[in-house]
Amino acid sequence: MAFQPDKTPFYFRETPFYFERKGSAFWYFFVLSHSVMAISFENIEKDIAKGDLKPVYLLCGDEFYYPDLLSKKFENELLDEQDRDFNMSVFYGKDASCDKIIEAAKQYPVMASRRLVMLKEAQTMDKRELAKLESYVTKPLASTVLVIVNNGSGFPPALANKISKTGVVFDCKKIKEDKIPLWIESFVRQKGFSIEPQAVKLISDYIGNNLMNISNELSKLMIDLSGRKQITPDDVASHIGISKEYNVFELQKAVGRLDFSKADKCVSYMIANPKENPFQVIIATLFTYFSKILIVSQLGEKTPSAVASAIKVPSFFASDYIAATNVFPMWKLINNISLIREYDMKSKGVGLSPFDSDADLLRELVFKLMH
């Protein structure tokens, strides 16, 4: 069974909605301006299992994890294996002809209840060629399921609108960065494992918010655990190729505590291992860190629960942010955020001396943040 997170997006046309699972029940939230019910990942998954399907599906979005899962379900579960040779046609955008796709879609199934026609990598197809599908999706054949898979945004809006009237458009947006730790915990839990908070932090810091990359790395990591069911920071560090002691998470803690010795060791390690510690990742993490300290500094109530709620972090990390507000006055926090912006621009070549390297920029930045 595919991973089902505790909270996932579902879409109608290009408008995001959300549902939340509480226990075994699902609670749905709708926008009243839409008279047609939105379709969730789970809705489509169930419809595939029941065989209750629309004639056309568009699976697309900036976050391709869920569209990819659905694409595989259509391909592997819609038809019995013995029916696929005669009733399934797969095309790839760059080399596909819409005339041939339409021809395949208009064929009737052979000794089966339906045909499956898939257009993968639609984003690589010429837009004028892709537009030819409008004539078919307006009046699709009921016995054919046409699945169009478009990795990313940029699918022609006019064609998407036509599809939404006769079929389903599932457009999945990127999950917000502050939701990534909860997504990781949920994914791991659904797989029958547990994960330590610092391990979650390392993954979200170093892999980012691409769910496909996160799921792939976690899946490989779980195989490497050799029967253990808990993922530790050491596991993540060795798997991704980073140091548990000298990573960006440890650097920000050292900066926040004005621990000059530890900060210097972190910087030295990162400079010696630039591939595992790209400057842009460090910059982004420090910017987020000081932005959150600034938010915490303005809170009237600085309890762990209040801080965790305000800056969207687990409560056990809240004490680090609370302590940092006692180290950095308001003017210094604002100045540090400005410094990080300045060095971000320098890393992109704006105002950069020809003699400065990323290593020089990192040393300068950390020194200025702490002085």
Side-chain angles (χ1 to χ4, degrees):
M1 182 176 179
F3 161 64
Q4 297 181 350
D6 293 329
K7 198 168 187 181
T8 55
F10 63 98
Y11 299 85
F12 173 69
R13 299 187 186 180
E14 295 183 356
T15 305
F17 299 78
Y18 289 87
F19 70 86
E20 183 173 358
R21 183 167 64 204
K22 299 180 179 180
S24 60
F26 289 87
W27 298 82
Y28 292 87
F29 301 89
F30 299 98
V31 175
L32 297 178
S33 61
H34 290 288
S35 58
V36 181
M37 188 177 76
I39 302 296
S40 75
F41 170 87
E42 281 78 8
N43 288 149
I44 300 175
E45 188 180 40
K46 289 176 182 177
D47 288 345
I48 293 172
K50 293 186 299 183
D52 182 15
L53 296 162
K54 298 291 184 182
V56 187
Y57 288 82
L58 170 60
L59 311 177
C60 59
D62 296 322
E63 177 48 70
F64 200 60
Y65 177 78
Y66 294 108
D68 182 67
L69 283 182
L70 289 174
S71 172
K72 291 174 181 175
K73 282 188 168 293
F74 276 110
E75 190 167 5
N76 298 325
E77 299 178 20
L78 191 61
L79 295 172
D80 293 333
E81 188 172 354
Q82 65 269 20
D83 294 329
R84 292 173 191 165
D85 288 342
F86 296 103
N87 296 294
M88 185 168 75
S89 300
V90 180
F91 299 87
Y92 291 86
K94 187 177 180 179
D95 304 314
S97 159
C98 277
D99 291 337
K100 291 185 178 180
I101 295 171
I102 293 171
E103 180 184 351
K106 286 184 174 180
Q107 293 177 16
Y108 287 94
V110 178
M111 300 180 67
S113 60
R114 64 171 57 86
R115 279 183 56 76
L116 172 63
V117 177
M118 299 192 72
L119 170 58
K120 297 184 177 183
E121 301 175 7
Q123 75 279 359
T124 64
M125 179 178 277
D126 182 85
K127 295 297 185 289
R128 289 171 295 182
E129 179 70 14
L130 192 58
K132 294 179 182 179
L133 285 177
E134 285 192 24
S135 61
Y136 176 79
V137 301
T138 303
K139 294 182 179 180
L141 194 66
S143 58
T144 294
V145 177
L146 172 62
V147 180
I148 302 170
V149 185
N150 190 89
N151 189 348
S153 57
F155 192 83
L159 182 55
N161 187 53
K162 295 280 187 183
I163 293 171
S164 71
K165 293 176 181 177
T166 57
V168 171
V169 175
F170 184 81
D171 183 4
C172 199
K173 307 299 182 185
K174 283 284 187 185
I175 187 172
K176 292 183 178 179
E177 289 188 5
D178 63 353
K179 304 295 184 185
I180 291 296
L182 292 176
W183 192 93
I184 292 171
E185 290 175 355
S186 182
F187 179 90
V188 169
R189 186 167 58 251
Q190 290 285 336
K191 296 291 187 179
F193 290 77
S194 62
I195 183 167
E196 293 183 15
Q198 288 196 359
V200 172
K201 181 69 174 172
L202 284 176
I203 292 170
S204 60
D205 282 347
Y206 278 87
I207 301 180
N209 67 338
N210 186 308
L211 300 188
M212 187 74 75
N213 290 344
I214 293 174
S215 64
N216 288 340
E217 292 299 330
L218 282 171
S219 296
K220 289 186 287 186
L221 176 54
M222 291 171 189
I223 294 173
D224 292 340
L225 289 180
S226 303
R228 287 189 293 115
K229 291 295 183 179
Q230 185 173 41
I231 300 172
T232 67
D234 285 337
D235 295 325
V236 174
S238 60
H239 180 75
I240 299 178
I242 59 176
S243 167
K244 178 191 173 186
E245 189 175 2
Y246 302 122
N247 56 68
V248 69
F249 180 57
E250 293 300 319
L251 173 63
Q252 76 176 25
K253 284 202 301 184
V255 171
R257 296 171 180 174
L258 296 184
D259 185 340
F260 297 99
S261 176
K262 181 61 180 286
D264 183 64
K265 290 177 181 177
C266 287
V267 169
S268 296
Y269 180 87
M270 291 174 171
I271 289 173
N273 299 272
K275 289 184 178 180
E276 293 79 21
N277 300 279
F279 189 56
Q280 288 300 321
V281 171
I282 299 170
I283 282 279
T285 303
L286 290 173
F287 179 81
T288 300
Y289 178 62
F290 277 99
S291 297
K292 287 181 176 179
I293 297 173
L294 183 60
I295 293 171
V296 173
S297 72
Q298 299 303 298
L299 294 178
E301 181 184 7
K302 291 185 177 62
T303 61
S305 59
V307 168
S309 176
I311 60 175
K312 311 300 182 186
V313 299
S315 56
F316 40 78
F317 287 126
S319 59
D320 289 335
Y321 292 94
I322 295 171
T325 61
N326 297 321
V327 173
F328 298 101
M330 175 67 69
W331 69 267
K332 182 58 176 171
L333 290 174
I334 295 173
N335 185 65
N336 278 358
I337 291 173
S338 296
L339 277 171
I340 295 170
R341 289 182 182 275
E342 176 189 340
Y343 277 77
D344 178 50
M345 295 303 293
K346 285 185 176 182
S347 72
K348 297 169 182 173
V350 179
L352 180 67
S353 164
F355 303 104
D356 286 336
S357 64
D358 281 353
D360 296 324
L361 294 179
L362 179 57
R363 282 202 183 278
E364 287 178 14
L365 175 60
V366 172
F367 177 86
K368 290 179 180 180
L369 292 176
M370 300 176 72
H371 289 82

